[in-house]
Amino acid sequence: MSDNPFVRYRDRLDSHARAIAGGLSDRWFADTVERLDAAVAAVDGHGFRITPVVDGGRLAAAAGLDVELHVKSEVDNVSGSHKARHLMGVALHLLVDEALGAEPPEVLAIASCGNAALAAAVVARALDRTLRVFVPTWADTSVVARLTELGADVRVCERRSGEAGDPTYLRFREAVEAGVRAFGVQGTDTPTTFDGGRTLGWELADQVPDLDRIYVQVGGGALATAVSTALPGAVLHPVQAEGCAPLRRAWDRMAPGFDLEEAVADPDRYMWPWADPRSLASGILDDITYDWVPLLRRTLESGGEPVVAAEEDVVAARALGREHTGLDVSATGTAGLAGLLAAPPPSGERVAVLFTGVQR
């Protein structure tokens, strides 16, 4: 059995179904994955492999949690986070479509200041495609340097007078409307982004059967949506920091009826940019939860609800997570644990959190 998740779980991928429906073979698909994975490894030092689950017993005890805790670690994945799973899935859809006759896009684009941009740059380089990255003025210089090293066309975005919302996302949307192909991790702009993200959930389901509950950090919402879709039996708790919690705000405005059709018809009534996002978990400070409707649908179906973690829980989660697992994980990467600290489940449950990003 292959230890590459995109080979092991290929018959569950939408890109594989599209390939087979179009007359391509299973062998063609597996070979395409292997070739792209080898190219990713040439760029980033290694390709995609099943990532480990760490026993969270010591961590749970230190945090005073009476649960069976499992930590799915993505800190050593391609480009240092889970984001590359999403982009690998998007890339496979591109290659399938092109094999079936679609015209290759001239330029790919993403709006991001960190892990998503780095993941997109690695995968785009492996594809030998041009990537345009829209970054904020405060983007980390080491991240920008790595993006440039990977050949990305980096565009720094200043806020325009009278403008509301993330200026990087606004410039990205302008580029997409002008013909550039979205290559990101928001399902609203790149619907195929969920496909690769589900591999994380399928791995976790095989590694820890019969999970009761999972806490997943939320920025744009694609990770929690994708993983929960792959774990239909687990209660989902999407987690945001108190300094940026537009998902919980939408949830509270929709309760108790939760009319998702109304939410789709009138989204601005429930979801709008969060003013002045701030938290140590900087990677989940999306001022809008872009994939909020499918995420709330999955949350409701699972019997869960969004959790807002106080900043002290965000800080504590990073310290506890690093000390008691030995993983070099960031505050963004441990934000799901912060949600578990803020809203612990009933005693004895089998619970998972995702440690998703290396400390940079």
Side-chain angles (χ1 to χ4, degrees):
M1 183 179 294
S2 175
D3 61 356
N4 181 322
F6 291 91
V7 175
R8 179 179 296 190
Y9 301 111
R10 66 186 182 277
D11 61 349
R12 306 183 194 181
L13 292 168
D14 292 341
S15 54
H16 181 271
R18 167 91 169 116
I20 300 304
L24 301 172
S25 69
D26 177 71
R27 184 70 263 163
W28 176 90
F29 189 89
D31 289 345
T32 298
V33 172
E34 295 286 9
R35 283 194 299 272
L36 181 54
D37 189 64
V40 167
V43 174
D44 200 53
H46 62 89
F48 291 92
R49 296 296 179 266
I50 304 297
T51 57
V53 168
V54 176
D55 184 341
R58 287 197 308 152
L59 173 56
L65 298 167
D66 183 21
V67 298
E68 180 187 320
L69 181 60
H70 301 269
V71 180
K72 176 70 165 168
S73 174
E74 291 284 289
V75 298
D76 293 322
N77 209 338
V78 171
S79 77
S81 80
H82 70 283
K83 300 285 188 178
R85 289 185 187 263
H86 293 280
L87 278 306
M88 181 69 166
V90 175
L92 290 173
H93 276 274
L94 284 176
L95 293 177
V96 169
D97 287 347
E98 290 167 15
L100 296 177
E103 190 71 23
E106 291 185 9
V107 180
L108 306 175
I110 186 171
S112 170
C113 63
N115 285 334
L118 291 169
V122 167
V123 177
R125 181 70 175 268
L127 285 167
D128 194 24
R129 308 296 173 93
T130 299
L131 177 71
R132 188 175 300 167
V133 182
F134 297 90
V135 304
T137 55
W138 46 265
D140 187 282
T141 55
S142 65
V143 171
V144 173
R146 177 58 176 158
L147 291 172
T148 302
E149 181 182 306
L150 289 167
D153 173 15
V154 179
R155 306 287 181 93
V156 179
C157 305
E158 296 186 359
R159 186 175 300 280
R160 295 175 183 173
S161 178
E163 188 170 69
D166 182 352
T168 67
Y169 183 73
L170 297 172
R171 302 295 84 77
F172 160 79
R173 283 301 316 161
E174 291 169 1
V176 170
E177 289 164 8
V180 170
R181 176 71 67 87
F183 192 67
V185 294
Q186 289 108 11
T188 46
D189 302 295
T190 314
T192 53
T193 200
F194 298 114
D195 207 15
R198 290 184 296 160
T199 61
L200 194 160
W202 293 327
E203 287 180 28
L204 185 54
D206 287 344
Q207 293 166 321
V208 189
D210 302 320
L211 273 174
D212 293 306
R213 200 174 300 264
I214 185 166
Y215 292 74
V216 185
Q217 51 270 45
V218 169
L223 172 65
T225 304
V227 170
S228 179
T229 300
L231 294 166
V235 175
L236 171 64
H237 292 291
V239 179
Q240 293 185 309
E242 63 181 351
C244 186
L247 183 71
R248 181 70 205 205
R249 180 179 62 189
W251 173 278
D252 290 341
R253 287 180 66 85
M254 293 180 69
F258 295 105
D259 187 340
L260 293 176
E261 291 184 4
E262 164 65 18
V264 171
D266 189 14
D268 293 343
R269 181 178 175 185
Y270 306 102
M271 180 63 63
W272 63 90
W274 190 271
D276 193 26
R278 58 180 62 201
S279 174
L280 182 64
S282 59
I284 58 169
L285 294 184
D286 299 65
D287 62 354
I288 286 177
T289 308
Y290 297 98
D291 294 307
W292 68 282
V293 173
L295 178 52
L296 287 191
R297 180 177 290 111
R298 276 301 307 136
T299 304
L300 287 164
E301 290 171 350
S302 77
E305 66 176 296
V307 172
V308 177
E311 191 63 15
E312 54 262 37
D313 289 325
V314 173
V315 173
R318 182 180 69 164
L320 288 166
R322 291 174 63 86
E323 179 180 357
H324 296 287
T325 67
L327 296 170
D328 187 21
V329 62
S330 67
T332 296
T334 59
L337 175 61
L340 176 58
L341 298 178
S347 295
E349 286 199 349
R350 178 174 286 189
V351 178
V353 296
L354 312 178
F355 279 13
T356 55
V358 69
Q359 179 68 50
R360 299 191 188 277

